[in-house]
Amino acid sequence: MEKLQTPYFVIDEAVLAGYYQMLENSLRQNWNNYLIGYSFKTNSLPWLVSFVKKNGALAEVVSEDEYLLARRLGYEDREIIYNGPYKSEASFRSVLLAGGYMNLDSGQEISWLTGLASEYPSKHFTVGIRANFDLEKRCPGETTMGEVSGRFGFCYETGKFAEALRTLREIPNVSVSGLHLHSSSKSRSVNIFRSIAQMACQLQQEFQLSLSYVDLGGGYCGGMEGRPEYPDYFPVVAEELSKCFTPDQTKLIVEPGISLISKCTTFVTSVFDTRDIRKTRYVMTDGSRFNIDATMIKTSHLFHILHGEPAAAERPVLPQQVISGYTCMECDRIFSYENRPELFPGDRIVYENVGGYTMSLNPLFIQYFPPVYVRRNDALIQVRRKWTPEDYIQGSVLDQEEERKIQNERKA
Ligand SMILES: *Cc1c(COP(=O)(O)O)cnc(C)c1O
């Protein structure tokens, strides 16, 4: 295969398909009434969205822009799962009127619903409600926020959940038929999902909910050695849910993001320069921390190195090489490569498991978006070309006089 210009992302279609299949099989075997909502925010690369859509996933969106993107990519309103604190009223109404999945997150949304329901008195609306609850207490040390509360949904412990439910139950043509329980955890453990399923039962019993769906949200592990995979979660989830629900009456909704797309995605970069400054060897690469860790939270990376000439065994071993990105920010240092063969320009560093929260968080900083290829059999198919300054300029207005000058000089 010819060598492509780096940097670029590659999505291995067979690996992606394998993960999707693993998820479906595991859901079918354990709770054969389920829906998969693909988390747009994790990676809404249009090709990826079209892949999961073709396989039957709904669109899980958390803003008007994501909603509009889903519509643009062929989703109908009834195929949308609308979550999060930042919906627009227009899209909120469209999704509800079409019978999509609406998980309420705020008092504002309850007001919108109250208005909509009175405008359409002969129509019946079903909604879900996002519960905010103390998962840390059930799984000490495992949640993202620890002792501090999460920010989303209606809090169970302070009575806001009960209050929201009371308000909704007073609207004659509205029923609360879904529970949304997404919670982010550091551990992504099976135990987290056991606790979330237990919470679904607890809420069902305490408030006598009649639920057509329980939505566990996302946050699963996938493609990480020694960590859980889909088949580890759903037997446990089903064991807990079956104490209060049956697949006949209640659908299980999952909203995977990173677990589905992590393993299949790599980012290929090249060394373009090395330099010694005081005691440090810097290895400059055409991939940046902004491409794969824009929020600057990763402490380690999975990667492998493709050495050019000479072979790795013939190179001196250096105590430390600081692998860095191309940007002019000092913080753009990706990892410390220790007691390893010296790297030279032309060597390639390939980062693994980089499907989630990478492309979707990539800033337009110094270099524009890198291209994305899909590996199908042995071919690489480009599914997004490299972004150019033209892509960057689109939608902008220049000073009129300057723009006229540029256009005239171009003609001349
Ligand atoms: C972020 C998010 C997801 C996906 O999370 P992953 O960790 O990528 O699986 C699903 N549902 C909601 C509501 C989210 O906010």
Side-chain angles (χ1 to χ4, degrees):
M1 199 160 26
E2 65 171 312
K3 273 203 159 180
L4 296 165
Q5 175 73 46
T6 55
Y8 56 86
F9 285 97
V10 180
I11 300 169
D12 190 307
E13 189 174 33
V15 175
L16 173 61
Y19 268 83
Y20 199 93
Q21 205 57 61
M22 194 203 310
L23 173 59
E24 283 224 289
N25 290 345
S26 166
L27 288 167
R28 189 181 321 105
Q29 285 159 17
N30 292 289
W31 201 270
N32 193 15
N33 179 13
Y34 61 87
L35 262 182
I36 299 170
Y38 176 65
S39 163
F40 267 42
K41 78 164 189 286
T42 307
N43 189 337
S44 59
L45 180 79
W47 181 86
L48 262 176
V49 171
S50 67
F51 180 92
V52 298
K53 181 172 183 295
K54 182 181 75 181
N55 282 279
L58 304 198
E60 189 272 317
V61 302
V62 291
S63 70
E64 180 176 59
D65 282 353
E66 285 193 346
Y67 161 78
L68 292 171
L69 176 66
R71 294 301 318 262
R72 169 63 185 82
L73 297 175
Y75 278 103
E76 303 286 343
D77 281 312
R78 66 186 147 74
E79 299 169 320
I80 302 277
I81 301 175
Y82 208 170
N83 290 331
Y86 191 55
K87 306 172 177 94
S88 70
E89 187 173 6
S91 54
F92 177 90
R93 292 168 63 100
S94 301
V95 169
L96 270 176
L97 284 166
Y101 293 84
M102 180 65 66
N103 293 315
L104 303 174
D105 200 273
S106 67
Q108 169 69 261
E109 291 174 13
I110 294 179
S111 311
W112 289 345
L113 175 62
T114 306
L116 185 68
S118 70
E119 261 177 70
Y120 293 88
S122 60
K123 215 176 141 53
H124 191 84
F125 296 91
T126 59
V127 294
I129 179 166
R130 169 105 175 235
N132 179 311
F133 62 99
D134 192 351
L135 182 59
E136 179 70 17
K137 199 165 150 205
R138 294 159 181 264
C139 305
E142 293 194 47
T143 68
T144 304
M145 290 316 301
E147 306 277 312
V148 182
S149 66
R151 290 193 292 130
F152 307 110
F154 298 91
C155 181
Y156 168 70
E157 286 82 10
T158 59
K160 295 291 181 190
F161 180 86
E163 188 185 313
L165 202 57
R166 256 196 316 277
T167 309
L168 291 166
R169 281 175 164 168
E170 278 164 15
I171 314 175
N173 52 335
V174 166
S175 49
V176 175
S177 63
L179 256 187
H180 186 230
L181 298 147
H182 174 85
S183 305
S184 59
S185 72
K186 290 181 289 200
S187 64
R188 298 178 177 263
S189 71
V190 172
N191 192 38
I192 285 279
F193 288 89
R194 182 190 289 282
S195 299
I196 293 174
Q198 284 171 343
M199 191 65 198
C201 284
Q202 186 178 329
L203 292 172
Q204 189 273 328
Q205 306 235 289
E206 184 170 339
F207 297 101
Q208 273 108 53
L209 300 170
S210 166
L211 297 180
S212 66
Y213 71 88
V214 170
D215 185 337
L216 298 180
Y220 312 91
C221 263
M224 287 167 61
E225 203 156 326
R227 306 289 297 279
E229 296 280 5
Y230 295 130
D232 299 310
Y233 293 106
F234 298 110
V236 171
V237 163
E239 180 195 332
E240 295 299 335
L241 288 184
S242 59
K243 294 174 184 168
C244 303
F245 306 99
T246 63
D248 284 348
Q249 280 164 12
T250 307
K251 197 184 280 300
L252 173 59
I253 300 182
V254 295
E255 301 169 348
I258 198 166
S259 54
L260 206 52
I261 57 174
S262 187
K263 183 73 180 177
C264 62
T265 310
T266 51
F267 184 56
V268 184
T269 68
S270 298
V271 176
F272 66 84
D273 187 29
T274 64
R275 50 185 64 182
D276 292 310
I277 294 180
R278 283 190 232 145
K279 289 196 178 95
T280 306
R281 165 65 59 93
Y282 293 100
V283 175
M284 315 289 272
T285 74
D286 59 12
S288 164
R289 207 167 160 189
F290 292 102
N291 296 120
I292 52 173
D293 180 26
T295 51
M296 305 270 169
I297 53 172
K298 288 186 189 167
T299 51
S300 66
H301 296 271
L302 294 171
F303 64 91
H304 62 271
I305 294 192
L306 303 171
H307 297 89
E309 293 295 317
E314 290 157 33
R315 300 179 181 203
V317 168
L318 299 190
Q320 191 197 33
Q321 303 174 75
V322 176
I323 312 301
S324 313
Y326 59 76
T327 71
C328 301
M329 295 267 273
E330 287 293 5
C331 65
D332 194 1
R333 300 163 186 230
I334 305 172
F335 66 99
S336 173
Y337 191 50
E338 289 169 13
N339 301 314
R340 293 293 179 157
E342 182 173 11
L343 297 177
F344 298 114
D347 290 340
R348 290 189 164 199
I349 303 175
V350 181
Y351 297 89
E352 296 150 14
N353 288 32
V354 289
Y357 306 100
T358 50
M359 297 176 210
S360 59
L361 283 166
N362 202 142
L364 290 165
F365 181 61
I366 301 186
Q367 279 282 96
Y368 305 131
F369 298 152
V372 184
Y373 297 89
V374 166
R375 185 188 308 284
R376 181 179 296 155
N377 305 322
D378 269 333
L380 287 183
I381 300 153
Q382 193 175 63
V383 296
R384 183 178 73 189
R385 63 167 168 72
K386 182 188 177 333
W387 267 39
T388 65
E390 279 309 317
D391 295 307
Y392 177 74
I393 288 169
Q394 62 181 322
S396 296
V397 173
L398 279 66
D399 179 273
Q400 298 269 299
E401 208 175 304
E402 274 301 307
E403 174 69 351
R404 258 195 307 276
K405 253 201 290 185
I406 296 167
Q407 296 306 334
N408 285 338
E409 275 161 25
R410 247 193 219 152
K411 272 183 226 144

